[in-house]
């Protein structure tokens, strides 16, 4: 039996004046309680309790130990209550890392709801179009598009899968026309995100067909929002995940191009340090994001096919 339990048993004995009552409170037999009390006295090397046929009372040493043990157990219970309260009411600074595009489209719009639900959490969003080292940069949760982390101490939770799609503004298409085949893409202005895998080789599939198209960018950038703004301004054909352009397509600001072809899909994941017990601020944010993605049906929307041109 651990020392905390021995101490708790002794405090119950002292408070109730009865070994059998203490055993009942501890949900153990009288014999087991007697053995544990004797083991405590043997470990301490002192007599804590005197017993006779009529009553049980504390020795002077036992009285002193009782006062200190009761105080220690009270402090322990207060500490546990504080932790439990924190689990229900998380506090502290929550450090989130995500690309600028994801931060703008899918974190910033949720901050009001999250902070209203958990008002004692301060949110710090580190918008970066590169993967920061989670441990070195003290990141609590990162939103990433890779399925495997090189660090085994990082846990990944999948949020959704998304297609990568080609889109352009109605103004651009009115001026330059719709490409009817993949080969025609080489004659169009492409807006390329340089952090994509092989950004200048677009690998398309359609059923059993596959084709790789080498493209040259009119505009390239390490930030999806710069490319999206250029596409909205009629500068060229944008290659970006659905989670960035879905609302623009629905609103008609951007039009899908060659949508019967598929580019390799990517996943949107939460990545966070692996711990046996997650802090309340991390756990609540992870659950909040997962709940929101399910409620919004993002995977269904982002993997669906738009009108074919």
């Amino acid at each position: 039996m651990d020392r905390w339990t021995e101490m708790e048993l002794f405090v119950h004995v002292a408070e109730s004046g009865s070994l059998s009552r203490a055993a009942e409170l501890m949900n153990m037999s009288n014999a087991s309680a007697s053995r544990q009390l004797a083991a405590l006295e043997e470990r301490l090397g002192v007599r804590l309790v005197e017993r006779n046929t009529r009553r049980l009372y504390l020795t002077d040493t036992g009285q002193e130990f009782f006062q200190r043990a009761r105080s220690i157990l009270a402090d322990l219970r207060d500490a546990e209550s504080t932790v439990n309260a924190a689990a229900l009411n998380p506090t502290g600074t929550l450090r989130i890392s995500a690309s600028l595009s994801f931060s703008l489209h899918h974190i910033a719009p949720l901050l009001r709801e999250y902070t209203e639900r958990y008002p004692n959490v301060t949110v710090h969003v580190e918008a970066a179009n590169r993967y920061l080292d989670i441990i070195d940069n003290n990141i609590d949760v990162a939103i990433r598009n890779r399925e495997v982390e090189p660090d085994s101490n990082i846990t990944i939770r999948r949020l959704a899968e998304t297609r990568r799609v080609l889109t352009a503004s109605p103004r651009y298409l009115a001026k330059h026309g719709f490409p009817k085949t993949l080969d025609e893409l080489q004659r169009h202005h492409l807006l390329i995100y340089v952090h994509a895998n092989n950004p200048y080789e677009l690998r398309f599939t359609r059923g059993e067909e596959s084709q790789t198209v080498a493209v040259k960018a009119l505009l390239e950038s390490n930030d999806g929002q710069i490319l999206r703004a250029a596409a909205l301004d009629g500068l060229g054909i944008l290659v970006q995940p659905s989670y960035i352009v879905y609302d623009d397509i629905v609103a008609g600001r951007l039009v899908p191009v060659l949508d019967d072809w598929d580019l390799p899909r990517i996943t949107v994941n939460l990545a966070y340090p692996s711990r046996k017990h997650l802090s309340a601020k991390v756990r609540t944010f992870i659950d909040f994001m997962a709940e929101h993605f399910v409620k919004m049906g993002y995977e269904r929307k982002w993997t669906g096919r738009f009108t074919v041109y």
Side-chain angles (χ1 to χ4, degrees):
M1 185 173 292
D2 64 82
R3 293 187 179 190
W4 291 111
T5 307
E6 287 181 348
M7 188 182 297
E8 188 177 7
L9 171 66
F10 169 71
V11 168
H12 282 312
V13 169
E15 289 178 338
S16 65
S18 167
L19 183 63
S20 60
R21 177 58 181 159
E24 181 182 348
L25 291 171
M26 296 291 292
N27 195 29
M28 63 176 65
S29 67
N30 288 348
S32 177
S34 181
R35 286 194 301 271
Q36 297 307 323
L37 182 58
L40 173 63
E41 291 178 323
E42 182 177 353
R43 181 167 58 80
L44 295 176
V46 295
R47 189 75 169 173
L48 299 174
V49 178
E50 293 290 354
R51 313 168 184 79
N52 58 35
T53 56
R54 290 178 297 176
R55 68 188 185 96
L56 178 152
Y57 59 92
L58 300 181
T59 64
D60 289 343
T61 303
Q63 186 66 43
E64 181 180 353
F65 185 70
F66 165 61
Q67 297 298 331
R68 302 190 70 171
R70 181 170 59 178
S71 177
I72 290 170
L73 288 172
D75 287 344
L76 177 62
R77 284 191 290 270
D78 286 345
E80 290 178 340
S81 296
T82 300
V83 170
N84 288 335
L88 297 174
N89 185 23
T91 60
T93 299
L94 176 69
R95 291 179 57 84
I96 304 166
S97 172
S99 69
L100 178 59
S101 290
F102 193 91
S103 298
L104 287 173
H105 289 275
H106 300 291
I107 293 181
L110 300 181
L111 292 180
R112 181 180 57 81
E113 181 181 351
Y114 179 80
T115 55
E116 285 179 353
R117 190 181 300 186
Y118 305 107
N120 294 322
V121 175
T122 299
V123 180
H124 174 101
V125 178
E126 191 73 20
N129 295 326
R130 58 189 178 89
Y131 291 149
L132 299 177
D133 185 284
I134 290 177
I135 304 300
D136 289 348
N137 289 278
N138 196 29
I139 300 298
D140 292 307
V141 184
I143 290 84
R144 294 184 168 172
N145 295 134
R146 61 186 182 191
E147 297 185 11
V148 177
E149 290 287 333
D151 188 344
S152 61
N153 294 315
I154 302 301
T155 296
I156 291 177
R157 178 166 176 177
R158 181 181 181 277
L159 285 177
E161 186 177 72
T162 179
R163 294 179 66 210
R164 293 167 61 219
V165 294
L166 277 64
T167 59
S169 71
R171 188 201 319 185
Y172 174 87
L173 294 171
K175 182 176 180 180
H176 298 277
F178 283 95
K180 302 298 183 182
T181 66
L182 295 181
D183 291 335
E184 291 181 29
L185 282 177
Q186 295 176 326
R187 299 197 294 271
H188 279 267
H189 301 159
L190 271 293
L191 313 176
I192 299 297
Y193 181 62
V194 296
H195 287 325
N197 291 331
N198 299 318
Y200 305 104
E201 288 188 352
L202 302 180
R203 294 183 292 110
F204 291 93
T205 58
R206 183 175 62 183
E208 298 299 318
E209 298 179 80
S210 64
Q211 186 174 338
T212 298
V213 179
V215 295
K216 182 179 180 181
L218 173 71
L219 171 66
E220 57 184 32
S221 177
N222 67 340
D223 185 76
Q225 290 307 300
I226 293 174
L227 300 170
R228 173 177 170 268
L232 291 170
D233 197 36
L235 202 59
I237 297 176
L238 179 66
V239 186
Q240 283 284 270
S242 287
Y243 72 75
I244 293 178
V245 297
Y246 182 86
D247 289 342
D248 291 321
I249 295 173
V250 172
R253 294 185 292 266
L254 293 175
V255 178
V257 174
L258 295 166
D259 199 51
D260 53 332
W261 288 91
D262 280 314
L263 289 165
R265 296 184 178 188
I266 58 177
T267 58
V268 180
N269 302 308
L270 295 171
Y272 49 93
S274 303
R275 298 188 181 100
K276 184 176 181 181
H277 299 293
L278 288 175
S279 66
K281 63 185 180 183
V282 174
R283 177 177 49 78
T284 55
F285 182 75
I286 290 171
D287 292 343
F288 177 81
M289 289 295 290
E291 171 190 316
H292 178 73
F293 267 56
V294 170
K295 180 176 68 176
M296 298 301 294
Y298 279 147
E299 181 159 318
R300 174 184 54 80
K301 294 176 180 178
W302 294 345
T303 57
R305 201 169 297 281
F306 300 101
T307 303
V308 177
Y309 292 90

